[in-house]
Structures are given as structure tokens and as C-alpha cells.
Amino acid sequence: MKRVNSTPRPGWQAFAESVGFNFHTFDGEPYWDESAYYQFSLQQIEHDLEQPTEELHQMALDLVADIVTSEQQLQQLAIPEQFWQAVRDSWQNQQPHLYGRMDLSYNGNGPAKLLELNYDTPTSLYETGFFQWVWLEDQLMRGALPQGADQFNSLQDKLQQAFAELNLAQPFYFASVADSTEDRGTVDYLMDIALQAGVNCRYIQLEQLGDIDGQLVDLDGFPIQGLFKLYPWEFMLQEEFASTVISSQTQFIEPLWKCLLSNKGILPMLWQKYQGHPNLLPTFFDDGSTLKHGWVRKPLFSREGANIELVTNSGKLFKQDGPYTDSGYIRQELAPLPKFADSYALIGSWVVGDSAAGICIREDNSLITKDSSRFLPHIILD
């Protein structure tokens, strides 16, 4: 694994905007960054990333079966009691799921370490599945990459196959909040893939969801039988229409049981059940009594590095403010992100259905990966 400097393609920004990538730059700072790429060997991809991803995924699914029948664990995850049965039903009725992303600390050697699961509303789909693949093809055609370079990236193909096989209610609605360009771009990308798979798709703003007699409806009052919502379950369950969400005869993607796996509390539960697994880090519900040095403290509910507190083995403190202050915390042994040049690299490893589907890489100038972190492409080269 190494970081290789690269010359950006001329005019890539205009091309990005022409294909719907309108969030390639945030507040004047680059989000998509092709001034460098990461290079892996096939052995690193297959042995150190792909295989552990599928194993960790299966371990997480096995844990869900335990949690839904344990009041203690549901309490530890801060799932509101009035929704326990709905979560349990969604799992026991085998409501299907689409995708997820796990974040890994990996430096090219030894086992990758699981930092967290993003299994409800993971973003960077478009950048991973489409834009970095186009970058690879363009750079190969231009001679800017070694011949034979490949990419660990079957994300788009696997998503299309999943949409074709999920037996979705139709028409199937896709929703995002009105004021997020990034979320709308991600949802549009998923809709396009679903359309190619033969799904009858419609878009609705999350704020436009209505309720008639406990059933979610669209602006015309038609029942919403199927809905992909790029909005976290923990937020949905706090909304005024939360009871409608539960009573509605709507097929949700992701299903309600995914709220268990997007919760940071899943990490100490994984460690408790599979203690010593080479891809797991010692992690505990935080009572301040464990992991005195070299740890990361995370809220049960947080995103984009918000409200993370990190202490290095030497005692240096890093802290990121944010809005997620109303839940419990977990404390995880520190697995420092590897540093390349002046940046720290985080690997996101994708799962579609139950199969590993590719990786994405985010860079930050801090050990805490934030919403301002840059996205860099990768290649496989032996």
C-alpha cells in the first residue's frame, strides 16, 4: 500500500458537474482529490480487506439475532422501548437490506482493524462506485497509470444486481432531506441504478412525506409501499411521525433492524462476543475505567467524526466538537490511521447484500476523519 502523486485530469471539474457530481468541492476546498491515488497489491485487497470485510459483516449479522431478543442490549444501544418490537419484527421477518460500509484502519500490513460500521445511511456511494472507476478508465486511456492497473470496485454492478433481486414494492420511492446537495446526489445515483434494474422509481423530499390513517403517503395521498430514505433511523424515531413509520405498511431500505448496526454500541458487543478476533479492537461501553491510554471515545450516535475524542499512546488529545451529546459513549482502543505524506488515510470497505463490493479512501490532516476529509481514488497493481 502506498500513496502515489498523480496529475489531475484537465477539466475534470466540468466533467464532474456534467455527470451530476455537484459536491466535488465544499466551501472552496476539494472533496474529490485526484492529485494522488493509493496503490494496493492484489494480496492486500483479497486477503487483508475483502475476506475480513465479509467475515466481519457476517459476525455483525449474527449479533443482531442476539440483540433483538435481549432487553439489556437494546437498552445499552439506547433504542426507545416503544420500538423494540418493531425492530425485532423487522429482523425476524427477514426484511431485506441493501448495503453498508465499514471503516477500517489499515497500513498495508497485518490485519485491518474495524473502527465502526456505517450500515444505515452510508454516503460516498457515487464517488466510489462511479466516479473513481471513470477516473481509472480515463487515466489508463491517457497512459497516466501503469497498464494492467485495476480497482477493487464492483459496487455499481452489485447494487444493480441487488435492486433486481430485492423484490421491491413498486412504485419505489427514494427520499432525502431537501437542503443537502450531497444526499440528493447519492439518492439520484441509487435511483439511476434501480431504474437500470427495472425498478419503477419516484423521488420525494423527506419533508414531503405524509400520513393518512397511519400509512405513509406521497404528496398526492398515494400510499408509499416502498421507500429508500437517506436519513438515519435514530432521527426518524425522534420525529413526530415516528409512530406512523412503525404502523405504515411500507417496505424500508434500509430496514429498521439496521439501526442496531449503525449504532457505535455494536462495537463493544462485537468485542464481547468475539474477543481477540484479529480484525476487532478492544471496545467497551464507556465508564472511564478502561483503556487509560491510546483510546477513542465515540457517542453511540454520531457521524462524520463529530463529538469524537482521541488520546494517543503518548497522551496527546484530539477532539472534534459536534451536536451528538445526548447519548451514551463507547471507548475503543486506538488503532492510529496510517500517515502518508501529510495526511491520515481511512479505508471504507463496502458490502452489498452480504458480499464485499469495493473500497474508498478518505484523507484528513487529523487522526479524526471529518466531513471535510478528501476522497482519493485507488488502484490494484501487482
Side-chain angles (χ1 to χ4, degrees), residues 1-173:
M1 177 181 178
K2 60 182 179 179
R3 187 182 193 272
V4 181
N5 290 330
S6 179
T7 302
R9 295 165 295 168
W12 71 262
Q13 293 94 335
F15 169 71
E17 290 160 17
S18 74
V19 293
F21 193 3
N22 297 312
F23 50 97
H24 60 74
T25 302
F26 284 126
D27 299 326
E29 296 295 325
Y31 166 59
W32 170 266
D33 183 358
E34 56 185 69
S35 64
Y37 61 85
Y38 280 84
Q39 179 178 313
F40 298 83
S41 70
L42 186 60
Q43 167 77 4
Q44 288 173 326
I45 292 292
E46 292 183 342
H47 182 266
D48 293 349
L49 297 175
E50 183 176 16
Q51 292 177 14
T53 291
E54 294 192 348
E55 183 176 352
L56 288 167
H57 172 72
Q58 192 57 56
M59 288 160 55
L61 292 185
D62 291 346
L63 192 56
V64 174
D66 299 340
I67 297 170
V68 296
T69 58
S70 168
E71 291 186 2
Q72 178 192 6
Q73 289 183 312
L74 289 166
Q75 287 175 338
Q76 285 181 307
L77 295 178
I79 306 300
E81 186 173 353
Q82 64 266 38
F83 301 116
W84 287 359
Q85 189 60 47
V87 173
R88 189 175 297 125
D89 289 344
S90 74
W91 172 256
Q92 294 177 344
N93 293 337
Q94 299 181 321
Q95 293 181 2
H97 61 109
L98 178 64
Y99 73 140
R101 190 192 75 239
M102 57 185 70
D103 289 343
L104 304 172
S105 176
Y106 176 69
N107 63 8
N109 299 296
K113 297 294 185 179
L114 176 67
L115 301 181
E116 60 187 62
L117 298 175
N118 302 278
Y119 264 39
D120 182 14
T121 58
T123 52
S124 69
L125 273 176
Y126 177 86
E127 307 91 289
T128 305
F130 177 73
F131 207 75
Q132 73 165 343
W133 182 259
V134 171
W135 168 87
L136 174 74
E137 292 183 323
D138 283 354
Q139 295 294 66
L140 282 170
M141 184 177 62
R142 292 162 52 85
L145 290 174
Q147 288 302 306
D150 200 357
Q151 197 173 87
F152 180 32
N153 189 1
S154 59
L155 185 58
Q156 184 165 308
D157 289 342
K158 281 190 166 69
L159 285 169
Q160 184 170 338
Q161 180 182 355
F163 275 121
E165 296 175 351
L166 274 176
N167 192 26
L168 298 174
Q170 300 202 39
F172 195 82
Y173 289 75

Side-chain angles (χ1 to χ4, degrees), residues 118-348:
N118 302 278
Y119 264 39
D120 182 14
T121 58
T123 52
S124 69
L125 273 176
Y126 177 86
E127 307 91 289
T128 305
F130 177 73
F131 207 75
Q132 73 165 343
W133 182 259
V134 171
W135 168 87
L136 174 74
E137 292 183 323
D138 283 354
Q139 295 294 66
L140 282 170
M141 184 177 62
R142 292 162 52 85
L145 290 174
Q147 288 302 306
D150 200 357
Q151 197 173 87
F152 180 32
N153 189 1
S154 59
L155 185 58
Q156 184 165 308
D157 289 342
K158 281 190 166 69
L159 285 169
Q160 184 170 338
Q161 180 182 355
F163 275 121
E165 296 175 351
L166 274 176
N167 192 26
L168 298 174
Q170 300 202 39
F172 195 82
Y173 289 75
F174 289 77
S176 62
V177 294
D179 61 354
S180 174
T181 302
E182 181 181 2
D183 285 2
R184 181 61 191 267
T186 299
V187 167
D188 283 348
Y189 176 58
L190 275 172
M191 280 184 63
D192 184 60
I193 294 173
L195 283 167
Q196 293 177 48
V199 178
N200 179 2
C201 301
R202 299 180 186 178
Y203 177 79
I204 187 170
Q205 293 178 5
L206 199 84
E207 295 86 347
Q208 295 173 332
L209 293 175
D211 165 25
I212 295 179
D213 297 329
Q215 170 67 43
L216 288 178
V217 297
D218 64 15
L219 287 169
D220 296 317
F222 290 112
I224 294 177
Q225 304 291 352
L227 177 69
F228 172 92
K229 44 95 192 146
L230 198 63
Y231 193 67
W233 271 116
E234 66 264 24
F235 293 174
M236 292 278 280
L237 298 184
Q238 293 174 0
E239 297 285 356
E240 291 183 7
F241 62 84
S243 60
T244 299
V245 169
I246 300 306
S247 64
S248 184
Q249 299 301 303
T250 301
Q251 178 188 24
F252 288 100
I253 300 292
E254 296 293 277
L256 183 54
W257 60 262
K258 275 293 191 80
C259 74
L260 305 177
L261 297 184
S262 62
N263 186 309
K264 303 297 188 298
I266 200 72
L267 299 167
M269 290 181 180
L270 280 168
W271 179 251
Q272 183 177 17
K273 184 168 184 175
Y274 303 102
Q275 187 167 335
H277 189 282
N279 297 113
L280 295 178
L281 293 164
T283 311
F284 309 89
F285 286 98
D286 187 38
D287 61 5
S289 63
T290 54
L291 301 176
K292 297 297 185 182
H293 299 290
W295 51 261
V296 183
R297 187 171 183 257
K298 307 175 184 181
L300 296 183
F301 307 109
S302 68
R303 296 168 191 279
E304 303 286 6
N307 299 98
I308 299 295
E309 189 175 350
L310 183 155
V311 173
T312 66
N313 292 322
S314 63
K316 187 174 182 180
L317 172 67
F318 296 84
K319 194 171 183 179
Q320 186 66 25
D321 293 331
Y324 303 103
T325 57
D326 56 351
S327 71
Y329 291 80
I330 61 107
R331 195 176 295 228
Q332 183 181 63
E333 182 180 280
L334 176 66
L337 296 177
K339 189 174 185 180
F340 295 87
D342 295 322
S343 297
Y344 297 91
L346 173 75
I347 293 179

